[in-house]
Amino acid sequence: MGENAIEIEGLTKTYAASGSQPPKQALKGVDLAIPAGAIFGLLGPNGAGKSTLINILAGLVLKSSGKVRIWGFDQDVNPRQSRAAIGVMPQELNIDPFFTPRAALEVQAGLYGVPKSQRITDRILKAIGLEDKADAYARNLSGGMRRRLLLGKALVHRPQVLVLDEPTAGVDIELRQMLWTNIRRLNEEQGTTIILTTHYLEEAEQMCGEIAIINHGEVIARDSTAALIGRMDAKTLVIHPEDPVGTPPAMPPGVETCTRRDGALCFTYRRSQIATGAVIEAVRSAGITIRDIATEEPNLEDVFVELTSSRGAA
């Protein structure tokens, strides 16, 4: 094993024509390295190629060309070892309704060839909060509990790499917090590499140290989360005046102004071109007494929208 948990080089996937539909190229020469021990975000709009990429990593879809190495194992040369090194928590709730959580984990461990003496079923049940539901039928579990069970199934063979595909879709806040507590523990205590796909961009911003954004089958950005957000040059200064102001005061060129419903004055500008002090000075020069002041910085959602919309995302 080197420094990377996953190494992808020139990965392509083209789905064959079907009926009246022409062939579709889902991945177009993806190059991506994911460091071992990272919590890594893989983001993109619907149809960007994320699911195809994940399914190729999991061995569920055959690539058209390129190289994939998981935990140092080439997928073409050592397919069994590469699959054993990765666990996937899918987005779909694909659980046998007649299995209990304990039985589901035992069967999954058996499919991975984990000897009974080495199985950690009870430990997993406790970690995912299903200890008291271990012998209940899966069909009687709530949606949140079923999603926890999916996580447990992905952990039965103690994978070095764990892929979470929309893990918190449709779950409540309490479950989401519990899930992320467990994920952080896996990452910190066992060094498990986590790959997260999610449409909750605030979640990705909080959890992921590095992020890659994929669109139309290509990686269009990859950097640390802080560096990606730092690409956005815009900043908004929100000033609450002591007395109501009808019209925002005149500003230097390049500053956009507006008045919010609560009477706050907003000034949006590029940090690289205009100093915040100049905006504040212009407000004071207009005779406005400032009662309170705040700034609004760009977030990951702003970066995502700018990058994907500029490339013609659907």
Side-chain angles (χ1 to χ4, degrees):
M1 247 301 294
E3 296 180 356
N4 295 319
I6 289 180
E7 295 176 340
I8 299 170
E9 299 174 7
L11 184 63
T12 69
K13 174 60 184 179
T14 300
Y15 291 100
S18 176
S20 60
Q21 298 296 319
K24 179 183 178 181
Q25 190 173 14
L27 296 177
K28 306 172 183 177
V30 170
D31 294 318
L32 187 63
I34 299 176
I39 299 182
F40 191 94
L42 183 64
L43 309 180
N46 291 331
K50 302 187 305 296
S51 294
T52 296
L53 178 56
I54 289 172
N55 287 333
I56 290 174
L57 292 176
L60 301 176
V61 169
L62 295 176
K63 64 184 185 295
S64 298
S65 64
K67 290 288 185 182
V68 174
R69 284 183 290 275
I70 303 174
W71 210 246
F73 296 108
D74 190 303
Q75 205 174 55
D76 297 323
V77 180
N78 304 106
R80 289 175 61 89
Q81 290 90 334
S82 66
R83 290 186 188 184
I86 193 169
V88 178
M89 178 184 175
Q91 183 176 352
E92 298 79 15
L93 294 173
N94 55 352
I95 294 174
D96 192 314
F98 298 101
F99 276 17
T100 65
R102 188 188 305 280
L105 296 185
E106 285 289 318
V107 169
Q108 189 78 357
L111 292 174
Y112 274 99
V114 181
K116 287 191 175 182
S117 61
Q118 297 179 20
R119 294 179 188 176
I120 54 173
T121 299
D122 289 335
R123 192 191 309 174
I124 292 175
L125 287 169
K126 182 177 181 180
I128 61 177
L130 291 180
E131 204 172 17
D132 60 336
K133 300 288 185 180
D135 298 311
Y137 285 120
R139 67 175 181 267
N140 295 327
L141 299 178
S142 67
M145 291 179 180
R146 294 182 188 185
R147 196 159 291 281
R148 280 186 255 174
L149 183 53
L150 288 179
L151 173 60
K153 290 177 66 176
L155 296 173
V156 295
H157 59 297
R158 306 186 194 189
Q160 291 91 349
V161 180
L162 177 63
V163 178
L164 307 174
D165 189 5
E166 300 288 347
T168 57
V171 303
D172 59 36
I173 295 175
E174 183 179 0
L175 173 58
R176 188 175 301 175
Q177 291 176 339
M178 190 208 75
L179 177 66
W180 288 125
T181 297
N182 290 335
I183 294 305
R184 285 193 179 98
R185 185 180 298 123
L186 275 172
N187 177 255
E188 293 169 2
E189 296 179 3
Q190 301 183 29
T192 306
T193 302
I194 309 296
I195 301 173
L196 167 68
T197 76
T198 180
H199 283 99
Y200 297 112
L201 299 185
E202 181 180 351
E203 186 173 78
E205 184 174 340
Q206 294 173 353
M207 288 294 300
C208 302
E210 293 185 82
I211 286 173
I213 298 177
I214 186 171
N215 196 22
H216 298 301
E218 300 177 287
V219 175
I220 60 173
R222 185 266 165 85
D223 213 328
S224 69
T225 306
L228 279 174
I229 295 173
R231 294 185 183 189
M232 298 292 290
D233 197 26
K235 182 174 184 174
T236 298
L237 190 68
V238 182
I239 291 178
H240 295 269
E242 191 67 49
D243 300 307
V245 176
T247 304
M251 283 284 134
V255 179
E256 297 180 5
T257 63
C258 71
T259 303
R260 294 184 176 175
R261 291 183 179 180
D262 62 357
L265 304 175
C266 298
F267 307 92
T268 301
Y269 52 94
R270 292 191 174 276
R271 291 174 290 183
S272 62
Q273 298 176 2
I274 298 173
T276 301
V279 178
I280 295 174
E281 182 59 32
V283 172
R284 286 175 173 162
S285 297
I288 297 172
T289 302
I290 299 174
R291 176 169 53 86
D292 196 10
I293 189 169
T295 60
E296 295 177 354
E297 303 286 346
N299 56 28
L300 185 59
E301 182 174 350
D302 298 321
V303 179
F304 181 87
V305 170
E306 180 174 275
L307 288 173
T308 55
S309 61
S310 65
R311 303 248 176 168

